[in-house]
Amino acid sequence: MANVQLDWDNLGFEYRNLPYRYRAYWKDGDWYKKELTGDATLHISEGSPALHYGQQDFEGLKAYRTKDGSIQLFRPDRNAARMQTSCERLLMPQVPTDMFVDAVKQVVRANQDYVPPYGTGATLYLRPLMIGVGGNIGVHPAQEYIFTIFAMPVGSYFKGGMTPTNFTTSNYDRAAHKGTGAYKVGGNYAASLFPGQEAHQHGFSDCVYLDPVEHKKIEEVGSANFFGITADNTFVTPKSPSILPSVTKYSLLYLAEHKFGMKTEQGDVYVDDLDRFTEAGACGTAAVISPIGGLEHNGKLHVFYSETEVGPVTKKLYDELTGIQFGDREAPEGWIQKVDLD
């Protein structure tokens, strides 16, 4: 690593303008001008559908420095597949998996000096983004698109170790059934800003969204997926047409079943039936797992394992997955891709 002057132990989670990002353009059925660039500014028409009608989607993944100094990616093909699904939903051109993964590797390789050292818990966060551009004021798909990937080093999500926090249910809906909840599009996150702020103002980490049909079943925890551990050692996570399919969640489901011999279940999780869970958490790229200490609903706080200590199953799953991501534990076949640094 070059002598990059950053406080690796206190990075936080914020935008940084690194030297390189990837950019590609689409028009008339083809991707062109696919290259790295030092220009951090997107130059687009004021009539771009991304600005007016939200025709855009994005992804989030990380690059990890291992003990031997190499750099690896965790299941980037799954992020490529999810972005393809989002693009299909918004009538945008898809980025082929090979092009997506190669672009990610190019960005990591070009910015390799900014991949934090092993042992800090910090990572290089990558943000693939696609927007519909060009002069267009009618409500119909753009004729041109920009696909870009930029990166930034981000700190360990937990300072001083994982600590459970409390959440509260929201009366607002994050997304509608059969809407765009299952796709990683900006509109879902814009809709979550107000209820998230409301939860923070009342002293909670974030809000838990219930199903938009009856408001009886847990769907998402802020911008993450929910999971619970039952007394009989079953890993349970909600299933709904408005939940974003988390790469982290499906990885945890696999490890729970195939590594630890747990039963797994995807189905309805009723907010009035929380006693079935001995532990609970939220899972996603940023934190891997955020333990849920308690969940407030209708003025009553239900505490799962503890408001101060992480449950043993949650800790075991977290250690296994992060161990795989940082190269300390054996990964299932195909989960890890090395970045060639030559």
Side-chain angles (χ1 to χ4, degrees):
M1 292 178 64
N3 187 26
V4 174
Q5 298 299 312
L6 287 174
D7 183 356
W8 300 112
D9 293 315
N10 296 285
L11 288 173
F13 193 91
E14 61 185 61
Y15 173 80
R16 295 177 189 270
N17 184 354
L18 298 198
Y20 298 101
R21 68 274 305 137
Y22 178 91
R23 193 135 323 139
Y25 299 84
W26 186 95
K27 187 177 181 180
D28 298 329
D30 287 310
W31 290 104
Y32 68 97
K33 199 180 177 183
K34 300 179 285 186
E35 60 188 12
L36 292 174
T37 177
D39 186 2
T41 302
L42 294 173
H43 304 269
I44 64 174
S45 166
E46 62 189 357
S48 295
L51 300 177
H52 300 269
Y53 308 123
Q55 196 190 22
Q56 63 86 239
D57 58 24
F58 68 99
E59 276 296 324
L61 65 160
K62 292 177 176 179
Y64 305 82
R65 180 83 63 177
T66 64
K67 186 178 290 186
D68 64 6
S70 62
I71 301 173
Q72 62 186 31
L73 303 171
F74 179 75
R75 309 189 77 179
D77 55 311
R78 301 317 305 156
N79 292 97
R82 187 170 66 178
M83 191 170 204
Q84 290 160 4
T85 301
S86 296
C87 287
E88 182 179 38
R89 177 65 174 81
L90 296 190
L91 296 179
M92 302 169 73
Q94 296 184 355
V95 177
T97 300
D98 289 348
M99 175 180 163
F100 181 100
V101 175
D102 177 65
V104 169
K105 289 180 177 180
Q106 286 189 49
V107 173
V108 174
R109 188 181 304 115
N111 295 293
Q112 62 184 276
D113 293 337
Y114 293 87
V115 181
Y118 172 84
T120 62
T123 55
L124 185 74
Y125 182 83
L126 295 130
R127 171 53 59 85
L129 168 71
M130 191 188 299
I131 58 174
V133 299
N136 177 355
I137 204 63
V139 184
H140 50 78
Q143 300 300 304
E144 301 175 39
Y145 296 86
I146 297 175
F147 171 61
T148 187
I149 303 175
F150 58 96
M152 68 220 72
V154 297
S156 175
Y157 193 88
F158 300 108
K159 296 299 180 184
M162 280 200 298
T163 303
T165 56
N166 293 340
F167 295 77
T168 183
T169 55
S170 176
N171 291 321
Y172 292 95
D173 294 329
R174 170 184 161 272
H177 276 198
K178 301 185 180 180
T180 58
Y183 309 94
K184 201 166 179 68
V185 300
N188 297 339
Y189 296 82
S192 73
L193 295 176
F194 183 85
Q197 176 180 269
E198 193 175 66
H200 296 153
Q201 290 173 342
H202 287 88
F204 296 97
S205 286
D206 209 330
C207 60
V208 169
Y209 295 100
L210 304 180
D211 72 281
V213 178
E214 298 180 296
H215 279 210
K216 293 181 179 179
K217 295 175 282 190
I218 290 176
E219 294 223 328
E220 292 214 345
V221 183
S223 57
N225 282 187
F226 175 90
F227 73 87
I229 309 297
T230 67
D232 68 352
N233 208 34
T234 300
F235 183 101
V236 179
T237 187
K239 185 176 184 179
S240 158
S242 52
I243 293 177
L244 181 73
S246 165
V247 176
T248 303
K249 178 185 73 175
Y250 285 114
S251 300
L252 291 171
L253 278 164
Y254 182 92
L255 292 174
E257 180 179 357
H258 298 279
K259 176 68 178 182
F260 298 115
M262 299 172 64
K263 292 179 288 185
T264 61
E265 176 187 320
Q266 296 183 69
D268 293 337
V269 176
Y270 287 92
V271 72
D272 290 333
D273 191 25
L274 299 180
D275 287 338
R276 63 188 291 221
F277 300 117
T278 56
E279 302 177 32
C283 56
T285 298
V288 181
I289 291 175
S290 297
I292 299 175
L295 174 59
E296 184 201 57
H297 179 60
N298 290 337
K300 295 181 179 179
L301 181 68
H302 177 91
V303 176
F304 294 98
Y305 182 78
S306 166
E307 290 184 82
T308 57
E309 297 181 14
V310 181
V313 178
T314 298
K315 182 68 163 57
K316 179 171 65 175
L317 288 167
Y318 176 84
D319 288 345
E320 183 68 21
L321 188 52
T322 56
I324 290 170
Q325 291 170 333
F326 283 102
D328 296 327
R329 302 196 183 188
E330 185 177 354
E333 185 176 355
W335 279 25
I336 295 298
Q337 293 200 35
K338 291 286 187 178
V339 178
D340 183 2
L341 301 180
D342 295 337

